Amino acid sequence: GEQVEQRPPHLSVREGDSAFITCTYTDPNSYYFFWYKQEPGASLQLLMKVFSSTEINEGQGFTVLLNKKDKRLSLNLTAAHPGDSAAYFCAVRYNYAQGLTFGLGTRVSVFP
Amino acid sequence: ETAVFQTPNYHVTQVGNEVSFNCKQTLGHDTMYWYKQDSKKLLKIMFSYNNKQLIVNETVPRRFSPQSSDKAHLNLRIKSVEPEDSAVYLCASSLGQGISNERLFFGHGTKLSVL
C-alpha cells in the first residue's frame, strides 16, 4: 500500500523565519494531497488540499508545493509566528476506499 | 469549530474488556471514518462507511467493529481490548460518497489507555 514519509519529525524556528516540511510518497497513482494542522489538544484542521501536478499553492502564511514527478509534497510556513506552533500532517489519497494515508507528523515550535 | 463530536474524551480499561466509542456529525455528511493515531502519531484508516458501503482496512483486527444507526452516527466497538489498542481514535466525516478530493472533518479524538 501507499507509504508516506514525512520529515523532519521536529522543527524549532525563530519567529519570522521559515519552516519547511516535506513528505514523500510511494504510489504514483496518488492524486489528492492534503496538509492538516493539529494544535495542542485540538482536532485536525485542514490547511490546504491540492490535486494538480507540480503546483504551488499559497495560503495565509504558507506555501504548498506538489511535485508529482518526484512524488514529493512540501509545506513552507513563511515568516512563522507563535500561532504556527502545532503538529502538521501531510496526507495522501490514492482512492476513496483507502481513506487517507498520513505522514507521521512534524512538531513545529516557533520561539521569539 | 467542531462539528464532529466524539465521546468519551478519555477511557482507561483493562485487557480483555469491551469498549465502545461514539461519534456523531452534525454536518449532514454522507460518509464517516475511524482513524487510529498511535503513540508515534501515525494516523491509519480503520473504516470508512456510508449508508451503502462499509470499507474495512484489512489490517484492522476483527475485535474492532463499526456500528451505525444512521448516517450521522458511527460508533466503534472493541470486543476485547489488547495493550496495543492504546491510542487516540479519531472520527471524521466527509460530504459525499466516494470523491477522493473531499475534505475530512475530524473530531477531537478519544484517547484509550489499556492497562
Side-chain angles (χ1 to χ4, degrees):
Chain A
E2 174 74 272
Q3 301 289 326
V4 178
E5 185 173 337
Q6 184 171 343
R7 290 277 184 269
H10 302 278
L11 194 53
S12 188
V13 298
R14 191 180 299 276
E15 187 172 2
D17 288 349
S18 294
F20 196 76
I21 306 169
T22 297
C23 287
T24 55
Y25 58 95
T26 57
D27 193 330
N29 295 312
S30 297
Y31 56 95
Y32 292 114
F33 308 90
F34 306 79
W35 279 103
Y36 283 88
K37 177 182 180 182
Q38 187 179 33
E39 296 180 3
S43 182
L44 288 156
Q45 299 291 329
L46 179 70
L47 272 182
M48 182 172 282
K49 61 180 181 181
V50 296
F51 35 87
S52 299
S53 61
T54 315
E55 183 167 346
I56 298 176
N57 294 267
E58 293 188 344
Q60 275 192 324
F62 61 90
T63 302
V64 170
L65 172 64
L66 171 64
N67 187 322
K68 293 194 76 177
K69 177 174 174 290
D70 294 341
K71 298 197 286 293
R72 189 185 306 272
L73 176 71
S74 303
L75 172 68
N76 185 27
L77 302 176
T78 54
H81 57 87
D84 292 332
S85 295
Y88 293 83
F89 294 87
C90 65
V92 176
R93 180 168 246 169
Y94 163 54
N95 61 42
Y96 167 71
Q98 299 299 318
L100 289 176
T101 300
F102 284 83
L104 284 177
T106 299
R107 297 284 176 287
V108 174
S109 299
V110 181
F111 58 94
Chain B
E1 188 175 345
T2 302
V4 180
F5 302 96
Q6 290 185 238
T7 57
N9 294 329
Y10 304 95
H11 190 81
V12 181
T13 190
Q14 292 182 320
V15 170
N17 285 348
E18 178 176 315
V19 299
S20 188
F21 305 145
N22 299 319
C23 181
K24 171 187 172 183
Q25 54 95 2
T26 59
L27 296 163
H29 286 175
D30 286 324
T31 306
M32 296 183 73
Y33 311 79
W34 277 101
Y35 284 83
K36 180 182 179 183
Q37 186 179 36
D38 62 21
S39 58
K40 296 181 180 177
K41 298 300 183 183
L42 184 64
L43 277 157
K44 286 184 177 176
I45 182 77
M46 300 180 73
F47 305 99
S48 65
Y49 182 78
N50 60 36
N51 55 11
K52 295 180 181 176
Q53 193 177 19
L54 170 67
I55 299 172
V56 181
N57 185 323
E58 62 187 14
T59 66
V60 174
R62 288 188 176 182
R63 59 183 180 276
F64 290 85
S65 60
Q67 299 172 318
S68 179
S69 55
D70 54 59
K71 73 175 189 177
H73 296 82
L74 185 65
N75 300 334
L76 179 66
R77 186 178 77 142
I78 313 174
K79 204 184 283 188
S80 176
V81 296
E82 298 285 337
E84 61 265 30
D85 299 337
S86 294
V88 174
Y89 291 86
L90 287 159
C91 177
S93 70
S94 65
L95 180 61
Q97 298 184 20
I99 303 173
S100 295
N101 67 336
E102 286 174 346
R103 171 184 173 179
L104 293 182
F105 291 77
F106 285 87
H108 280 80
T110 296
K111 185 171 183 177
L112 173 66
S113 297
V114 180
L115 304 177

